[in-house]
C-alpha cells in the first residue's frame, strides 16, 4: 500500500504541471502558432528523456511508439490548441473534465479494468466540481471547437490505455521519450506546411518553452505513464482532475484573481472525487489454517480470509 500511495503522489505531478501550463502558455508563449508550440513542446522533451534513457525501440515498439505518439502527443496537442482557439477556457475545461469517465470506460473495454462504484462517484463529483469552478454558460462556444475537444479526449483515452496495455516491463522513461519524439516528428512538418516559418522567440518565450518542455511535458508525461503502469486507470483518470484545480489556484495566487464561493465549492468537489477514486488495499486471503483457529464440525482447523 505504501508503494501505491507513492505512485499516486508521483502521478499527481502530471496534472499539477499541466495546470501550470495554462498560465505559462497564455503569458509567455507566442499566439497563433499552435503546431509549432506543440512541436517545440514535444521534441525537446522527448530528446531530454532519451538522453536520460539512451536506448532505441526494439521489436514491436518500432510501430507501437509511433501509434502512441500520434494519439497521445501529435493529435492530442494539435486538437487541444485548436479547441483553445475556438472555445472559452471554461467550456474546453468542462469538456476535458469528463476524461476520467472516458478513461475508465476505455480501460474497461480494452484491458478489462471494470470501474468500481466509488470511482464512478468520484468522476461524477469531479465533473460537477469543474463545472462549478469554470463553467459560465456556452456563449461563444463553437461546435467545431467542442468536437475537437471531444476528439482529443477520446484519442488520448485510447492512447493512454494502449500504453498501459502494451507496458510489459519496458522502461517508462524510454517509452515516453519514443512517444514524444514520434509525435514531435509528425508535428514539425505539419507546422511547416500549415504555419510557415517558425515564430520569433524573445527571452520570455524561450524560458517559457523551456519550462513547458522540461516540467509540463518531460516530467509530467513520465510521471503520468509511470502511474498508468502501476495504478488502475480509474485512479489515474481521477488524478487528472487536479489539472483544472491547479489552473484555478494558480490564477488566484499568481494572477491575483479572486476565488469565489462557487469556485471554492467546486475545488472541494474535485478533491472529493480524487479521494473517492484512491486505490484501496485488497484483503489478503490466507489459505493455511492458523494454529489458534477454532475447530470446524469436521474436526479441522478453520481458515481465515
Amino acid at each position: 500500500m505504501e508503494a501505491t500511495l507513492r505512485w499516486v503522489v508521483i502521478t499527481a505531478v502530471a496534472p499539477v504541471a499541466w495546470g501550470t501550463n495554462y498560465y505559462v502558455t497564455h503569458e509567455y508563449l507566442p499566439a497563433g502558432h499552435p503546431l509549432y508550440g506543440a512541436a517545440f513542446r514535444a521534441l525537446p522533451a522527448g530528446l531530454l528523456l532519451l538522453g536520460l534513457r539512451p536506448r532505441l525501440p526494439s521489436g514491436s515498439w518500432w510501430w507501437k511508439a509511433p501509434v502512441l505518439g500520434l494519439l497521445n502527443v501529435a493529435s492530442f496537442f494539435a486538437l487541444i490548441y485548436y479547441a483553445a482557439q475556438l472555445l472559452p477556457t471554461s467550456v474546453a475545461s468542462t469538456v476535458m473534465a469528463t476524461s476520467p469517465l472516458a478513461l475508465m470506460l476505455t480501460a474497461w473495454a480494452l484491458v478489462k479494468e471494470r470501474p468500481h462504484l466509488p470511482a464512478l462517484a468520484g468522476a461524477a463529483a469531479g465533473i460537477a466540481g469543474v463545472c462549478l469552478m469554470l463553467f459560465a454558460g456556452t456563449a461563444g462556444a463553437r461546435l467545431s471547437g467542442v468536437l475537437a475537444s471531444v476528439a482529443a479526449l477520446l484519442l488520448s483515452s485510447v492512447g493512454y490505455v494502449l500504453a498501459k496495455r502494451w507496458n510489459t516491463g519496458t522502461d517508462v522513461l524510454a517509452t515516453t521519450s519514443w512517444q514524444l519524439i514520434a509525435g514531435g516528428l509528425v508535428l514539425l512538418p505539419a507546422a511547416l506546411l500549415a504555419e510557415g516559418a517558425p515564430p520569433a522567440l524573445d527571452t520570455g518565450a524561450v524560458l517559457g518553452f523551456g519550462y513547458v518542455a522540461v516540467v509540463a511535458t518531460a516530467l509530467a508525461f513520465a510521471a503520468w505513464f509511470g502511474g498508468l503502469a502501476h495504478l488502475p486507470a480509474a485512479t489515474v483518470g481521477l488524478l487528472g482532475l487536479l489539472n483544472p484545480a491547479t489552473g484555478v489556484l494558480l490564477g488566484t495566487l499568481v494572477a491575483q484573481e479572486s476565488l469565489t464561493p462557487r469556485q471554492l465549492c467546486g475545488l472541494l468537489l474535485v478533491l472529493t472525487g480524487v479521494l473517492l477514486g484512491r486505490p484501496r488495499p485488497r484483503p489478503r486471503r490466507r489459505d493455511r489454517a492458523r494454529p489458534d483457529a477454532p475447530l470446524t464440525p469436521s474436526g479441522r482447523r478453520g481458515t481465515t480470509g
Side-chain angles (χ1 to χ4, degrees), residues 8 16-17 28 43 47 56 67 74 95 98 112 133 136 153 161 184 192 198 228 254 264 296:
V8 167
V16 171
Y28 298 105
L43 270 177
L47 292 173
L56 294 176
V67 169
V95 173
T98 61
K112 308 304 179 184
M133 283 191 298
L153 168 72
V161 174
L192 286 169
L228 281 169
V254 178
L264 184 59
T296 62

Side-chain angles (χ1 to χ4, degrees), residues 93-120:
S93 298
T94 302
V95 173
M96 294 305 295
T98 61
S99 60
L101 185 59
L103 191 56
M104 289 179 203
L105 296 178
T106 304
W108 190 4
L110 295 183
V111 295
K112 308 304 179 184
E113 280 191 10
R114 186 173 183 175
H116 298 292
L117 184 59
L120 292 173

Side-chain angles (χ1 to χ4, degrees), residues 175-191:
T175 56
T176 304
S177 71
W178 303 335
Q179 292 181 56
L180 290 169
I181 292 173
L185 291 176
V186 172
L187 286 165
L188 195 57

Side-chain angles (χ1 to χ4, degrees), residues 234-289:
T235 300
V236 176
L238 287 172
L239 287 171
L241 292 169
L242 296 174
N243 183 340
T246 301
V248 170
L249 290 176
L250 193 64
T252 302
L253 297 174
V254 178
Q256 297 181 344
E257 299 173 358
S258 59
L259 188 64
T260 66
R262 190 181 73 171
Q263 287 177 317
L264 184 59
C265 291
L267 281 172
L268 293 176
L269 274 175
V270 167
L271 295 177
T272 300
V274 172
L275 290 175
L276 284 173
R278 72 188 187 279
R280 289 168 171 77
R282 295 179 180 177
R284 290 188 298 179
R285 189 175 182 179
R286 299 177 182 176
D287 295 325
R288 294 184 179 179

Side-chain angles (χ1 to χ4, degrees), residues 219-231:
L219 176 63
F221 272 82
W224 187 255
F225 287 120
L228 281 169
H230 292 86
L231 298 172

